[in-house]
Amino acid sequence: MSKEKIAGLMINGRLKKSGVTFYTRNGQMVARTAHSNQPQSRTRGQFVARQQLAHSCRLWTTLKWAGEPTFATEQSPYSRFRSMMRRTPVVFLPSTGRLSNATLLLPGMPVSDGLLPTIEQRLGEVDGQPALLTSLQRSDLRRADSLLLYTLKQTVENGCPGVVVKRAEVKAADMVDGPDGLALAADEFADNNMGWALVHVRQGAYSAQTVVTRCTLYEQYTTEEALQRAAESYGGLTK
C-alpha cells in the first residue's frame, strides 16, 4: 500500500483526526468526514420500529437455540421472521440495565412459515384436562409427515425476563380427539407462563404457526409510560 505524509505523519492505511478520515486510494490521499453533524433522529415512529426490531432479534436468537428455524419461504428465515413479528405487540425496554436484554413471551410470535395450511390452535380442555386444541384432522396427515411442538416458557431471573424455547416431535398417535380436531392434553397447558405452537411438516414444507399463550407479563412493557421511560434512556424522542 502506498504511503502519504500529512502533518509530519506517515500514513499507511487510514487516519481519523478532528472528524476527518484520511486514507489512500490508488496512490492518492483522500479525505472525508468521519461523522455526520446531524443529530440522531429518534421520532416516535422510528423509536417504536427500532424497539420492535431489537426485541425481535433477541427472540430470533432464542428461537434458533431450539433447532433449525422452520421458515421455508422466498425470504430468508430471519427476514421472514422479522416481517411476521411486525404483527405482534411492541415492548419498550431501556438501553441499559438489567432490562436492556430482556425477552418477553408474546402472543402471536411466529415459529414457522411455509406452504402447508395453518393449523388453528387455542388453549382449552379435553374431558376436564388442560389441552392445546387444534383444527388438525388425522386425515390431514400422511405416513411420512411429522409434527413439531414448540414450547416457550417465560422466566424472570434477577429481575430480568427471558424466554426459553424448546422443540420436540410429537406423534399423532399420542394426541387425543378434541372438539375441533386433534389435541394435546397435559397439566402443563394450564401454565400461564408458557406458550405453544404445533407445526405440521411434510417434505421440507411447514405450516405457518404462531404462539398461543395466556402469559401477560409483556403487557406492562407496552404502555405509554414504558415507551417514555425507554425513550429517555436513549436520550429522548425527537420531532
Side-chain angles (χ1 to χ4, degrees):
M1 177 181 293
S2 60
K3 299 180 180 180
E4 298 288 342
K5 187 174 183 180
I6 302 174
L9 296 176
M10 189 70 74
I11 296 179
N12 185 11
R14 293 171 179 251
L15 173 67
K16 290 185 179 181
K17 185 177 182 181
S18 300
V20 178
T21 296
F22 298 97
Y23 62 99
T24 56
R25 178 188 293 169
N26 299 325
Q28 299 295 318
M29 186 273 291
V30 179
R32 65 175 177 82
T33 58
H35 66 273
S36 171
N37 291 322
Q38 296 296 320
Q40 182 181 5
S41 178
R42 197 182 302 108
T43 66
R44 184 185 180 95
Q46 290 171 330
F47 183 70
V48 170
R50 290 166 184 165
Q51 284 279 287
Q52 186 170 54
L53 176 59
H55 185 244
S56 296
C57 290
R58 293 196 295 275
L59 283 176
W60 173 254
T61 299
T62 300
L63 183 63
K64 287 180 65 178
W65 278 106
E68 186 67 23
T70 50
F71 291 78
T73 65
E74 293 181 356
Q75 292 178 278
S76 71
Y78 177 52
S79 295
R80 183 55 180 159
F81 175 81
R82 288 189 307 171
S83 177
M84 296 175 73
M85 280 295 295
R86 296 192 187 106
R87 308 167 191 168
T88 63
V90 182
V91 294
F92 302 103
L93 300 165
S95 63
T96 59
R98 62 189 180 189
L99 289 177
S100 61
N101 290 313
T103 50
L104 292 144
L105 178 52
L106 302 178
M109 172 185 161
V111 300
S112 65
D113 191 26
L115 300 177
L116 296 184
T118 297
I119 304 170
E120 296 180 12
Q121 302 176 38
R122 61 187 175 90
L123 296 171
E125 292 185 351
V126 174
D127 296 330
Q129 187 173 25
L132 176 66
L133 309 177
T134 83
S135 62
L136 184 67
Q137 306 295 318
R138 294 190 190 277
S139 59
D140 294 332
L141 299 171
R142 299 177 185 175
R143 183 185 297 271
D145 289 2
S146 60
L147 297 170
L148 296 176
L149 178 66
Y150 282 83
T151 301
L152 298 87
K153 186 174 181 63
Q154 180 73 73
T155 64
V156 179
E157 296 184 5
N158 298 320
C160 181
V163 177
V164 177
V165 184
K166 295 182 180 180
R167 187 178 77 183
E169 185 171 350
V170 298
K171 303 293 184 182
D174 296 328
M175 301 183 73
V176 299
D177 293 326
D180 305 309
L182 296 177
L184 287 165
D187 290 341
E188 71 173 43
F189 294 111
D191 193 327
N192 291 335
N193 290 313
M194 297 181 70
W196 301 268
L198 185 69
V199 179
H200 183 192
V201 184
R202 176 182 295 159
Q203 295 179 340
Y206 308 100
S207 59
Q209 304 299 156
T210 59
V211 172
V212 294
T213 180
R214 297 188 187 94
C215 186
T216 60
L217 180 64
Y218 74 94
E219 291 179 351
Q220 63 186 276
Y221 300 98
T222 63
T223 65
E224 178 66 22
E225 292 77 9
L227 186 156
Q228 294 297 333
R229 285 196 300 269
E232 284 301 313
S233 73
Y234 283 88
L237 299 177
T238 60
K239 296 183 179 180

